[in-house]
Amino acid sequence: MAKAISQYFKRIFDDYQVLVMVNPSDFTGTELILHPDGKVEKTEMEFDEEIFEDLAEDEFQPCSSLEFQLLLAKS
């Protein structure tokens, strides 16, 4: 069975950023919050089947896996 390719999303708020990685095969993933002081907060997540609609409604935009992985390395 082929491995699912994760999808990455980002939203910039006034003073912090949120990046989200979603595995579409089982709706698990990781949320990274980049705080103004440079601290990166990492949370493992379990999503429901409507995650992509939720992200779009919350104005998240697709982002690159490289951007996510670089930030993940700082967490």
PDB file of all heavy atoms in Angstrom, residues 10-20 31-43 67-68 70-72 74-75:
ATOM      1  N   LYS A  10      -1.004  26.828   6.536  1.00  0.00           N
ATOM      2  CA  LYS A  10      -0.429  27.877   7.376  1.00  0.00           C
ATOM      3  C   LYS A  10      -1.405  29.042   7.471  1.00  0.00           C
ATOM      4  O   LYS A  10      -2.105  29.361   6.518  1.00  0.00           O
ATOM      5  CB  LYS A  10       0.872  28.363   6.733  1.00  0.00           C
ATOM      6  CG  LYS A  10       1.534  29.532   7.410  1.00  0.00           C
ATOM      7  CD  LYS A  10       2.782  29.911   6.631  1.00  0.00           C
ATOM      8  CE  LYS A  10       3.494  31.084   7.232  1.00  0.00           C
ATOM      9  NZ  LYS A  10       4.718  31.418   6.499  1.00  0.00           N
ATOM     10  N   ARG A  11      -1.407  29.662   8.639  1.00  0.00           N
ATOM     11  CA  ARG A  11      -2.148  30.914   8.810  1.00  0.00           C
ATOM     12  C   ARG A  11      -1.312  31.839   9.678  1.00  0.00           C
ATOM     13  O   ARG A  11      -0.762  31.428  10.704  1.00  0.00           O
ATOM     14  CB  ARG A  11      -3.500  30.681   9.472  1.00  0.00           C
ATOM     15  CG  ARG A  11      -4.226  32.012   9.669  1.00  0.00           C
ATOM     16  CD  ARG A  11      -5.691  31.879   9.821  1.00  0.00           C
ATOM     17  NE  ARG A  11      -6.266  33.210  10.031  1.00  0.00           N
ATOM     18  CZ  ARG A  11      -7.350  33.452  10.717  1.00  0.00           C
ATOM     19  NH1 ARG A  11      -8.019  32.458  11.256  1.00  0.00           N
ATOM     20  NH2 ARG A  11      -7.788  34.663  10.864  1.00  0.00           N
ATOM     21  N   ILE A  12      -1.231  33.088   9.259  1.00  0.00           N
ATOM     22  CA  ILE A  12      -0.493  34.104  10.007  1.00  0.00           C
ATOM     23  C   ILE A  12      -1.505  34.977  10.724  1.00  0.00           C
ATOM     24  O   ILE A  12      -2.377  35.571  10.096  1.00  0.00           O
ATOM     25  CB  ILE A  12       0.393  34.940   9.077  1.00  0.00           C
ATOM     26  CG1 ILE A  12       1.403  34.040   8.368  1.00  0.00           C
ATOM     27  CG2 ILE A  12       1.093  36.042   9.867  1.00  0.00           C
ATOM     28  CD1 ILE A  12       2.212  34.742   7.296  1.00  0.00           C
ATOM     29  N   PHE A  13      -1.392  35.023  12.033  1.00  0.00           N
ATOM     30  CA  PHE A  13      -2.233  35.876  12.856  1.00  0.00           C
ATOM     31  C   PHE A  13      -1.453  37.144  13.182  1.00  0.00           C
ATOM     32  O   PHE A  13      -0.335  37.322  12.704  1.00  0.00           O
ATOM     33  CB  PHE A  13      -2.644  35.135  14.137  1.00  0.00           C
ATOM     34  CG  PHE A  13      -3.532  33.945  13.870  1.00  0.00           C
ATOM     35  CD1 PHE A  13      -2.974  32.694  13.615  1.00  0.00           C
ATOM     36  CD2 PHE A  13      -4.907  34.067  13.869  1.00  0.00           C
ATOM     37  CE1 PHE A  13      -3.788  31.594  13.366  1.00  0.00           C
ATOM     38  CE2 PHE A  13      -5.727  32.972  13.621  1.00  0.00           C
ATOM     39  CZ  PHE A  13      -5.164  31.731  13.369  1.00  0.00           C
ATOM     40  N   ASP A  14      -1.999  38.028  13.989  1.00  0.00           N
ATOM     41  CA  ASP A  14      -1.339  39.294  14.292  1.00  0.00           C
ATOM     42  C   ASP A  14       0.065  39.114  14.872  1.00  0.00           C
ATOM     43  O   ASP A  14       0.997  39.782  14.454  1.00  0.00           O
ATOM     44  CB  ASP A  14      -2.182  40.132  15.256  1.00  0.00           C
ATOM     45  CG  ASP A  14      -3.448  40.657  14.596  1.00  0.00           C
ATOM     46  OD1 ASP A  14      -3.464  40.776  13.345  1.00  0.00           O
ATOM     47  OD2 ASP A  14      -4.411  40.928  15.317  1.00  0.00           O
ATOM     48  N   ASP A  15       0.203  38.214  15.847  1.00  0.00           N
ATOM     49  CA  ASP A  15       1.501  38.088  16.504  1.00  0.00           C
ATOM     50  C   ASP A  15       2.016  36.651  16.592  1.00  0.00           C
ATOM     51  O   ASP A  15       2.969  36.392  17.325  1.00  0.00           O
ATOM     52  CB  ASP A  15       1.462  38.718  17.899  1.00  0.00           C
ATOM     53  CG  ASP A  15       0.393  38.086  18.789  1.00  0.00           C
ATOM     54  OD1 ASP A  15      -0.426  37.298  18.283  1.00  0.00           O
ATOM     55  OD2 ASP A  15       0.389  38.380  19.996  1.00  0.00           O
ATOM     56  N   TYR A  16       1.425  35.738  15.865  1.00  0.00           N
ATOM     57  CA  TYR A  16       1.927  34.367  15.835  1.00  0.00           C
ATOM     58  C   TYR A  16       1.486  33.684  14.548  1.00  0.00           C
ATOM     59  O   TYR A  16       0.653  34.204  13.804  1.00  0.00           O
ATOM     60  CB  TYR A  16       1.483  33.574  17.061  1.00  0.00           C
ATOM     61  CG  TYR A  16      -0.015  33.372  17.170  1.00  0.00           C
ATOM     62  CD1 TYR A  16      -0.601  32.192  16.748  1.00  0.00           C
ATOM     63  CD2 TYR A  16      -0.836  34.357  17.704  1.00  0.00           C
ATOM     64  CE1 TYR A  16      -1.972  31.995  16.841  1.00  0.00           C
ATOM     65  CE2 TYR A  16      -2.202  34.177  17.816  1.00  0.00           C
ATOM     66  CZ  TYR A  16      -2.763  32.985  17.377  1.00  0.00           C
ATOM     67  OH  TYR A  16      -4.114  32.809  17.466  1.00  0.00           O
ATOM     68  N   GLN A  17       2.095  32.520  14.276  1.00  0.00           N
ATOM     69  CA  GLN A  17       1.757  31.735  13.094  1.00  0.00           C
ATOM     70  C   GLN A  17       1.361  30.330  13.513  1.00  0.00           C
ATOM     71  O   GLN A  17       1.897  29.801  14.487  1.00  0.00           O
ATOM     72  CB  GLN A  17       2.949  31.614  12.158  1.00  0.00           C
ATOM     73  CG  GLN A  17       3.427  32.909  11.576  1.00  0.00           C
ATOM     74  CD  GLN A  17       4.617  32.694  10.668  1.00  0.00           C
ATOM     75  OE1 GLN A  17       4.690  31.718   9.926  1.00  0.00           O
ATOM     76  NE2 GLN A  17       5.562  33.618  10.735  1.00  0.00           N
ATOM     77  N   VAL A  18       0.458  29.715  12.763  1.00  0.00           N
ATOM     78  CA  VAL A  18       0.073  28.329  12.992  1.00  0.00           C
ATOM     79  C   VAL A  18       0.288  27.569  11.692  1.00  0.00           C
ATOM     80  O   VAL A  18      -0.193  27.974  10.637  1.00  0.00           O
ATOM     81  CB  VAL A  18      -1.400  28.208  13.433  1.00  0.00           C
ATOM     82  CG1 VAL A  18      -1.788  26.743  13.612  1.00  0.00           C
ATOM     83  CG2 VAL A  18      -1.642  28.975  14.724  1.00  0.00           C
ATOM     84  N   LEU A  19       1.036  26.470  11.782  1.00  0.00           N
ATOM     85  CA  LEU A  19       1.225  25.569  10.656  1.00  0.00           C
ATOM     86  C   LEU A  19       0.646  24.215  11.037  1.00  0.00           C
ATOM     87  O   LEU A  19       0.791  23.778  12.188  1.00  0.00           O
ATOM     88  CB  LEU A  19       2.702  25.413  10.300  1.00  0.00           C
ATOM     89  CG  LEU A  19       3.314  26.600   9.554  1.00  0.00           C
ATOM     90  CD1 LEU A  19       3.730  27.679  10.538  1.00  0.00           C
ATOM     91  CD2 LEU A  19       4.486  26.155   8.722  1.00  0.00           C
ATOM     92  N   VAL A  20      -0.002  23.566  10.087  1.00  0.00           N
ATOM     93  CA  VAL A  20      -0.665  22.295  10.345  1.00  0.00           C
ATOM     94  C   VAL A  20      -0.266  21.295   9.276  1.00  0.00           C
ATOM     95  O   VAL A  20      -0.271  21.617   8.075  1.00  0.00           O
ATOM     96  CB  VAL A  20      -2.205  22.461  10.342  1.00  0.00           C
ATOM     97  CG1 VAL A  20      -2.897  21.132  10.575  1.00  0.00           C
ATOM     98  CG2 VAL A  20      -2.641  23.478  11.388  1.00  0.00           C
ATOM     99  N   GLU A  31       0.324  20.122  14.766  1.00  0.00           N
ATOM    100  CA  GLU A  31       0.120  21.566  14.726  1.00  0.00           C
ATOM    101  C   GLU A  31       1.338  22.223  15.358  1.00  0.00           C
ATOM    102  O   GLU A  31       1.784  21.820  16.430  1.00  0.00           O
ATOM    103  CB  GLU A  31      -1.135  21.942  15.518  1.00  0.00           C
ATOM    104  CG  GLU A  31      -1.365  23.431  15.608  1.00  0.00           C
ATOM    105  CD  GLU A  31      -2.543  23.769  16.504  1.00  0.00           C
ATOM    106  OE1 GLU A  31      -2.370  23.687  17.745  1.00  0.00           O
ATOM    107  OE2 GLU A  31      -3.608  24.089  15.978  1.00  0.00           O
ATOM    108  N   LEU A  32       1.879  23.216  14.670  1.00  0.00           N
ATOM    109  CA  LEU A  32       2.991  23.997  15.198  1.00  0.00           C
ATOM    110  C   LEU A  32       2.534  25.439  15.359  1.00  0.00           C
ATOM    111  O   LEU A  32       1.933  26.008  14.449  1.00  0.00           O
ATOM    112  CB  LEU A  32       4.182  23.961  14.237  1.00  0.00           C
ATOM    113  CG  LEU A  32       4.768  22.598  13.899  1.00  0.00           C
ATOM    114  CD1 LEU A  32       5.876  22.757  12.874  1.00  0.00           C
ATOM    115  CD2 LEU A  32       5.281  21.898  15.146  1.00  0.00           C
ATOM    116  N   ILE A  33       2.816  26.002  16.520  1.00  0.00           N
ATOM    117  CA  ILE A  33       2.521  27.409  16.766  1.00  0.00           C
ATOM    118  C   ILE A  33       3.849  28.126  16.978  1.00  0.00           C
ATOM    119  O   ILE A  33       4.615  27.760  17.871  1.00  0.00           O
ATOM    120  CB  ILE A  33       1.608  27.590  17.992  1.00  0.00           C
ATOM    121  CG1 ILE A  33       0.287  26.861  17.780  1.00  0.00           C
ATOM    122  CG2 ILE A  33       1.381  29.077  18.264  1.00  0.00           C
ATOM    123  CD1 ILE A  33      -0.619  26.848  18.998  1.00  0.00           C
ATOM    124  N   LEU A  34       4.104  29.119  16.146  1.00  0.00           N
ATOM    125  CA  LEU A  34       5.314  29.927  16.269  1.00  0.00           C
ATOM    126  C   LEU A  34       4.946  31.209  16.993  1.00  0.00           C
ATOM    127  O   LEU A  34       4.204  32.038  16.476  1.00  0.00           O
ATOM    128  CB  LEU A  34       5.903  30.244  14.891  1.00  0.00           C
ATOM    129  CG  LEU A  34       7.118  31.164  14.875  1.00  0.00           C
ATOM    130  CD1 LEU A  34       8.264  30.572  15.679  1.00  0.00           C
ATOM    131  CD2 LEU A  34       7.543  31.451  13.440  1.00  0.00           C
ATOM    132  N   HIS A  35       5.459  31.349  18.215  1.00  0.00           N
ATOM    133  CA  HIS A  35       5.173  32.511  19.052  1.00  0.00           C
ATOM    134  C   HIS A  35       6.100  33.670  18.688  1.00  0.00           C
ATOM    135  O   HIS A  35       7.164  33.464  18.108  1.00  0.00           O
ATOM    136  CB  HIS A  35       5.335  32.126  20.530  1.00  0.00           C
ATOM    137  CG  HIS A  35       4.341  31.107  20.984  1.00  0.00           C
ATOM    138  ND1 HIS A  35       3.078  31.431  21.415  1.00  0.00           N
ATOM    139  CD2 HIS A  35       4.423  29.744  21.041  1.00  0.00           C
ATOM    140  CE1 HIS A  35       2.424  30.332  21.742  1.00  0.00           C
ATOM    141  NE2 HIS A  35       3.205  29.293  21.522  1.00  0.00           N
ATOM    142  N   PRO A  36       5.730  34.901  19.057  1.00  0.00           N
ATOM    143  CA  PRO A  36       6.544  36.084  18.722  1.00  0.00           C
ATOM    144  C   PRO A  36       7.978  36.009  19.242  1.00  0.00           C
ATOM    145  O   PRO A  36       8.890  36.563  18.630  1.00  0.00           O
ATOM    146  CB  PRO A  36       5.797  37.247  19.379  1.00  0.00           C
ATOM    147  CG  PRO A  36       4.419  36.777  19.585  1.00  0.00           C
ATOM    148  CD  PRO A  36       4.499  35.284  19.752  1.00  0.00           C
ATOM    149  N   ASP A  37       8.190  35.304  20.353  1.00  0.00           N
ATOM    150  CA  ASP A  37       9.537  35.201  20.917  1.00  0.00           C
ATOM    151  C   ASP A  37      10.377  34.118  20.245  1.00  0.00           C
ATOM    152  O   ASP A  37      11.503  33.861  20.648  1.00  0.00           O
ATOM    153  CB  ASP A  37       9.465  34.957  22.428  1.00  0.00           C
ATOM    154  CG  ASP A  37       8.786  33.640  22.800  1.00  0.00           C
ATOM    155  OD1 ASP A  37       8.366  32.891  21.886  1.00  0.00           O
ATOM    156  OD2 ASP A  37       8.660  33.361  24.010  1.00  0.00           O
ATOM    157  N   GLY A  38       9.814  33.459  19.209  1.00  0.00           N
ATOM    158  CA  GLY A  38      10.543  32.420  18.486  1.00  0.00           C
ATOM    159  C   GLY A  38      10.296  31.020  19.002  1.00  0.00           C
ATOM    160  O   GLY A  38      10.732  30.049  18.389  1.00  0.00           O
ATOM    161  N   LYS A  39       9.610  30.890  20.121  1.00  0.00           N
ATOM    162  CA  LYS A  39       9.300  29.578  20.678  1.00  0.00           C
ATOM    163  C   LYS A  39       8.318  28.851  19.756  1.00  0.00           C
ATOM    164  O   LYS A  39       7.379  29.439  19.233  1.00  0.00           O
ATOM    165  CB  LYS A  39       8.683  29.727  22.065  1.00  0.00           C
ATOM    166  CG  LYS A  39       8.295  28.417  22.702  1.00  0.00           C
ATOM    167  CD  LYS A  39       7.600  28.631  24.035  1.00  0.00           C
ATOM    168  CE  LYS A  39       6.967  27.327  24.474  1.00  0.00           C
ATOM    169  NZ  LYS A  39       5.872  27.527  25.378  1.00  0.00           N
ATOM    170  N   VAL A  40       8.560  27.546  19.558  1.00  0.00           N
ATOM    171  CA  VAL A  40       7.682  26.723  18.730  1.00  0.00           C
ATOM    172  C   VAL A  40       6.988  25.710  19.630  1.00  0.00           C
ATOM    173  O   VAL A  40       7.635  24.950  20.346  1.00  0.00           O
ATOM    174  CB  VAL A  40       8.474  25.995  17.620  1.00  0.00           C
ATOM    175  CG1 VAL A  40       7.546  25.097  16.808  1.00  0.00           C
ATOM    176  CG2 VAL A  40       9.181  26.999  16.725  1.00  0.00           C
ATOM    177  N   GLU A  41       5.679  25.728  19.594  1.00  0.00           N
ATOM    178  CA  GLU A  41       4.855  24.801  20.369  1.00  0.00           C
ATOM    179  C   GLU A  41       4.330  23.728  19.421  1.00  0.00           C
ATOM    180  O   GLU A  41       3.742  24.037  18.378  1.00  0.00           O
ATOM    181  CB  GLU A  41       3.695  25.579  20.979  1.00  0.00           C
ATOM    182  CG  GLU A  41       2.794  24.794  21.874  1.00  0.00           C
ATOM    183  CD  GLU A  41       1.693  25.677  22.436  1.00  0.00           C
ATOM    184  OE1 GLU A  41       1.841  26.917  22.482  1.00  0.00           O
ATOM    185  OE2 GLU A  41       0.662  25.104  22.825  1.00  0.00           O
ATOM    186  N   LYS A  42       4.548  22.455  19.772  1.00  0.00           N
ATOM    187  CA  LYS A  42       4.157  21.328  18.912  1.00  0.00           C
ATOM    188  C   LYS A  42       3.066  20.515  19.598  1.00  0.00           C
ATOM    189  O   LYS A  42       3.191  20.161  20.767  1.00  0.00           O
ATOM    190  CB  LYS A  42       5.373  20.439  18.655  1.00  0.00           C
ATOM    191  CG  LYS A  42       5.079  19.174  17.895  1.00  0.00           C
ATOM    192  CD  LYS A  42       6.336  18.327  17.785  1.00  0.00           C
ATOM    193  CE  LYS A  42       6.000  16.930  17.344  1.00  0.00           C
ATOM    194  NZ  LYS A  42       7.169  16.044  17.364  1.00  0.00           N
ATOM    195  N   THR A  43       1.993  20.196  18.837  1.00  0.00           N
ATOM    196  CA  THR A  43       0.902  19.389  19.368  1.00  0.00           C
ATOM    197  C   THR A  43       0.523  18.331  18.342  1.00  0.00           C
ATOM    198  O   THR A  43       0.264  18.661  17.177  1.00  0.00           O
ATOM    199  CB  THR A  43      -0.342  20.268  19.655  1.00  0.00           C
ATOM    200  OG1 THR A  43       0.033  21.349  20.501  1.00  0.00           O
ATOM    201  CG2 THR A  43      -1.446  19.459  20.311  1.00  0.00           C
ATOM    202  N   GLU A  67       8.880  24.358   4.663  1.00  0.00           N
ATOM    203  CA  GLU A  67       8.642  25.371   5.690  1.00  0.00           C
ATOM    204  C   GLU A  67       8.209  24.708   6.996  1.00  0.00           C
ATOM    205  O   GLU A  67       8.691  25.050   8.077  1.00  0.00           O
ATOM    206  CB  GLU A  67       7.576  26.351   5.212  1.00  0.00           C
ATOM    207  CG  GLU A  67       7.281  27.453   6.199  1.00  0.00           C
ATOM    208  CD  GLU A  67       6.260  28.451   5.683  1.00  0.00           C
ATOM    209  OE1 GLU A  67       5.608  28.208   4.664  1.00  0.00           O
ATOM    210  OE2 GLU A  67       6.122  29.496   6.344  1.00  0.00           O
ATOM    211  N   PHE A  68       7.304  23.736   6.902  1.00  0.00           N
ATOM    212  CA  PHE A  68       6.820  23.028   8.086  1.00  0.00           C
ATOM    213  C   PHE A  68       7.965  22.270   8.755  1.00  0.00           C
ATOM    214  O   PHE A  68       8.147  22.343   9.970  1.00  0.00           O
ATOM    215  CB  PHE A  68       5.699  22.062   7.703  1.00  0.00           C
ATOM    216  CG  PHE A  68       5.094  21.363   8.885  1.00  0.00           C
ATOM    217  CD1 PHE A  68       3.984  21.906   9.528  1.00  0.00           C
ATOM    218  CD2 PHE A  68       5.612  20.173   9.374  1.00  0.00           C
ATOM    219  CE1 PHE A  68       3.422  21.285  10.638  1.00  0.00           C
ATOM    220  CE2 PHE A  68       5.059  19.543  10.471  1.00  0.00           C
ATOM    221  CZ  PHE A  68       3.962  20.096  11.100  1.00  0.00           C
ATOM    222  N   LEU A  70      11.215  22.732   8.600  1.00  0.00           N
ATOM    223  CA  LEU A  70      12.211  23.624   9.211  1.00  0.00           C
ATOM    224  C   LEU A  70      11.737  24.130  10.564  1.00  0.00           C
ATOM    225  O   LEU A  70      12.502  24.196  11.528  1.00  0.00           O
ATOM    226  CB  LEU A  70      12.522  24.802   8.286  1.00  0.00           C
ATOM    227  CG  LEU A  70      13.351  24.459   7.051  1.00  0.00           C
ATOM    228  CD1 LEU A  70      13.423  25.657   6.106  1.00  0.00           C
ATOM    229  CD2 LEU A  70      14.734  24.001   7.446  1.00  0.00           C
ATOM    230  N   LEU A  71      10.462  24.460  10.663  1.00  0.00           N
ATOM    231  CA  LEU A  71       9.904  24.919  11.925  1.00  0.00           C
ATOM    232  C   LEU A  71       9.832  23.764  12.930  1.00  0.00           C
ATOM    233  O   LEU A  71      10.111  23.937  14.112  1.00  0.00           O
ATOM    234  CB  LEU A  71       8.525  25.534  11.704  1.00  0.00           C
ATOM    235  CG  LEU A  71       7.956  26.371  12.830  1.00  0.00           C
ATOM    236  CD1 LEU A  71       8.896  27.499  13.199  1.00  0.00           C
ATOM    237  CD2 LEU A  71       6.592  26.912  12.445  1.00  0.00           C
ATOM    238  N   LEU A  72       9.479  22.579  12.454  1.00  0.00           N
ATOM    239  CA  LEU A  72       9.406  21.395  13.311  1.00  0.00           C
ATOM    240  C   LEU A  72      10.783  21.092  13.933  1.00  0.00           C
ATOM    241  O   LEU A  72      10.873  20.711  15.097  1.00  0.00           O
ATOM    242  CB  LEU A  72       8.916  20.195  12.512  1.00  0.00           C
ATOM    243  CG  LEU A  72       8.788  18.867  13.248  1.00  0.00           C
ATOM    244  CD1 LEU A  72       7.770  18.978  14.372  1.00  0.00           C
ATOM    245  CD2 LEU A  72       8.393  17.762  12.279  1.00  0.00           C
ATOM    246  N   LYS A  74      12.872  23.127  14.940  1.00  0.00           N
ATOM    247  CA  LYS A  74      13.120  24.067  16.048  1.00  0.00           C
ATOM    248  C   LYS A  74      12.324  23.710  17.301  1.00  0.00           C
ATOM    249  O   LYS A  74      12.579  24.263  18.362  1.00  0.00           O
ATOM    250  CB  LYS A  74      12.731  25.479  15.623  1.00  0.00           C
ATOM    251  CG  LYS A  74      13.603  26.078  14.565  1.00  0.00           C
ATOM    252  CD  LYS A  74      13.152  27.483  14.268  1.00  0.00           C
ATOM    253  CE  LYS A  74      14.009  28.154  13.238  1.00  0.00           C
ATOM    254  NZ  LYS A  74      13.586  29.533  12.981  1.00  0.00           N
ATOM    255  N   SER A  75      11.333  22.806  17.164  1.00  0.00           N
ATOM    256  CA  SER A  75      10.480  22.510  18.325  1.00  0.00           C
ATOM    257  C   SER A  75      11.137  21.535  19.277  1.00  0.00           C
ATOM    258  O   SER A  75      12.100  20.906  18.988  1.00  0.00           O
ATOM    259  CB  SER A  75       9.144  21.944  17.862  1.00  0.00           C
ATOM    260  OG  SER A  75       9.285  20.679  17.278  1.00  0.00           O
TER     261      SER A  75
END
